[in-house]
Amino acid sequence: CRVLKFPVTFNEGLVENYYLSLKSKPFVILAGTSGTGKTRLVRLFAEAIGATSQNGRYKLVSVRPDWSDSSDLFGHVNLNDKFIPGAIIDFVKQAELDSRNPYFLCLDEMNLARVEYYLSDILSIIETREYVDGKVTTDPLITENYYGADITAKGKYGVVRIPENLYIIGTVNMDETTFPFSRKVLDRANTIEFSTVELLANFDSTQGEVKAIFADNTFMKADYVFFNQCASDKDFVEDVCIELQDINKILEKANAHVGYRVRDEIVFYMLNNKNAGNLLTRNQAFDHEIMQKILPRIQGSSASVKIMLCELFKYCAGDYESYQTESDDVSAKMMAAANKETCKYKESAKKIAFMVRRFEEDGFTAYWL
C-alpha cells in the first residue's frame, strides 16, 4: 500500500494483518523504530473506512509519562466534588452512543508510562466481552459512583462500558525512555512489529490517495468472543490447536508456554482470515500470530531459553546444517535457513534468529530491539 500524500511504504500484507488483528480483538500494539509510520497506519486505515478527526471518530492521545492510574484516562473528582473529565471519556461515550460506526483511539507512545497501571481497568474489562442480543458488551468500566456528588457528570456519562465499535491501538518505541510490557499486556494484544524501512522514494508510483469506503461497524466487529462460537469450523480449529499444542510443548522448556486466552485469540485470527476469503495464506496468517502472540513474551538469560528458541526455530524453518545449541554461530546458520524458500514461517524464523544472535552477543535475549 503506497500513499503519495504520506511518503511511507508498508510491507505487503501489513494492512491485511492489521485489519485481522483488530477484528480478532479490538486492542493492537504497533511496535518499532521511531518514524516508521506506526501512527500514520492507524490514521490512514481509520480514514479509509470513514473515521476521521473531523467527524470525531478518530482520536490521537499522546500518553504522558506521569500517568499512573485510570483517572488520567477517564477523569477524577476534585476537592470541590466536581468531576474533571479525563483524556478519553468523552470519546468513549460518543462511540457508545454512535454504535453503528467504528471509532479508533490511538494511544501514541503508550509505554512512556506503565501501561499496566493507567490502562489496567481496560485490560481487565476487555476480558469480560460477551454477546448479548447480537451485541458485544462488557462489564462497566465506570459506574455512577465514579462521579461522586457531581450530578451533572453522572447524568452526562452514567455507566460507561467498552463499546463494541471502539478499537484501541497503541504505538510504542522500545528504547531507554520507555517501559517494558508485562505479560498481562502482551497476552491481551496482537503486537505488530515495524522493523523494515524502505528509504528510497518512488515518485513514479501510479497509486494515489486512499478513498474512504465508509464502512459501518459490521466491517470491524468481532465475529468471535468465546471459543465455543467456533464449533461450526471444528476441523479447521482443531488443526490450528494441534499446531499450537506442538509449539506450546517447545515453549514449556523455558516456562514460556501460553494459556487459553492466547489460544482463543490465535484461533479467532485464523478464522477471521479464512472467513474473509483468505486475505493471507494459511502459513502467512499463522506466521503473523507466532510473531504477534508468542515471541513477544519470550525473554531471559538462561541456557533453557536458547535451547527453546533453537527448537522453536526448527519448528518454523525445519532443521538446518550443523544444528547445535552450544555453537557460537547458531544465529548465522539460522538466518541462512530462514531465507530459504522451504522455510514455513519465514518472518518468525528470522526473528528467532535475531533473538538467538542477541543471546550469543549479550548473554540475554528478548523480542524487543
Side-chain angles (χ1 to χ4, degrees), residues 26-42:
F27 179 40
V28 170
I29 295 173
L30 305 181
T33 307
S34 178
T36 51
K38 300 183 293 293
T39 306
R40 283 183 177 176
L41 172 61
V42 181

Side-chain angles (χ1 to χ4, degrees), residues 335-352:
M335 191 56 72
N339 285 315
K340 292 181 179 178
E341 290 297 322
T342 54
C343 181
K344 186 175 183 181
Y345 301 129
K346 189 175 291 289
E347 296 306 315
S348 297
K350 289 179 180 178
K351 188 65 178 183
I352 294 169

Side-chain angles (χ1 to χ4, degrees), residues 202-255:
N202 181 3
F203 295 106
D204 297 325
S205 174
T206 58
Q207 297 185 21
E209 297 180 22
V210 171
K211 294 183 179 179
I213 62 173
F214 298 102
D216 64 23
N217 194 52
T218 56
F219 179 69
M220 299 294 304
K221 181 179 175 181
D223 294 324
Y224 307 98
V225 174
F226 293 118
F227 190 75
N228 287 345
Q229 293 175 296
C230 308
S232 60
D233 287 281
K234 180 181 177 182
D235 292 341
F236 181 84
V237 171
E238 284 186 350
D239 178 64
V240 173
C241 289
I242 288 171
E243 190 157 9
L244 285 174
Q245 182 79 341
D246 292 340
I247 291 174
N248 224 24
K249 289 177 181 177
I250 298 171
L251 298 175
E252 285 176 355
K253 297 179 184 294
N255 198 32

Side-chain angles (χ1 to χ4, degrees), residues 97-285:
L97 298 174
D98 183 23
S99 60
R100 185 171 180 270
N101 294 307
Y103 280 67
F104 297 87
L105 173 64
C106 180
L107 298 174
D108 196 32
E109 298 193 57
M110 72 180 302
N111 60 335
L112 281 178
R114 288 196 177 275
V115 178
E116 58 269 27
Y117 289 178
Y118 72 86
L119 208 64
S120 60
D121 290 347
I122 288 179
L123 293 176
S124 297
I125 296 300
I126 201 170
E127 294 305 307
T128 68
R129 293 186 308 153
E130 60 179 344
Y131 262 97
V132 177
D133 297 328
K135 294 186 67 175
V136 181
T137 187
T138 68
D139 288 350
L141 268 173
I142 297 174
T143 65
E144 293 186 344
N145 295 330
Y146 191 82
Y147 313 103
D150 193 332
I151 303 300
T152 302
K154 189 178 297 185
K156 180 178 181 180
Y157 299 111
V159 175
V160 178
R161 305 174 190 271
I162 300 178
E164 68 173 8
N165 59 328
L166 177 65
Y167 304 90
I168 303 171
I169 306 97
T171 68
V172 303
N173 301 320
M174 300 305 295
D175 56 36
E176 67 280 358
T177 67
T178 60
F179 292 98
F181 289 113
S182 67
R183 286 190 177 180
K184 177 180 180 179
V185 178
L186 294 174
D187 279 0
R188 287 163 169 79
N190 268 286
T191 303
I192 302 176
E193 184 183 36
F194 282 60
S195 58
T196 303
V197 180
E198 177 56 69
L199 298 180
L200 295 177
N202 181 3
F203 295 106
D204 297 325
S205 174
T206 58
Q207 297 185 21
E209 297 180 22
V210 171
K211 294 183 179 179
I213 62 173
F214 298 102
D216 64 23
N217 194 52
T218 56
F219 179 69
M220 299 294 304
K221 181 179 175 181
D223 294 324
Y224 307 98
V225 174
F226 293 118
F227 190 75
N228 287 345
Q229 293 175 296
C230 308
S232 60
D233 287 281
K234 180 181 177 182
D235 292 341
F236 181 84
V237 171
E238 284 186 350
D239 178 64
V240 173
C241 289
I242 288 171
E243 190 157 9
L244 285 174
Q245 182 79 341
D246 292 340
I247 291 174
N248 224 24
K249 289 177 181 177
I250 298 171
L251 298 175
E252 285 176 355
K253 297 179 184 294
N255 198 32
H257 50 288
V258 301
Y260 295 114
R261 179 187 296 115
V262 172
R263 177 204 66 179
D264 293 356
E265 292 176 15
I266 291 177
V267 168
F268 297 163
Y269 180 101
M270 297 298 292
L271 279 172
N272 285 329
N273 180 58
K274 175 176 174 285
N275 295 341
N278 293 312
L279 294 176
L280 306 168
T281 68
R282 196 269 185 198
N283 283 355
Q284 285 174 332

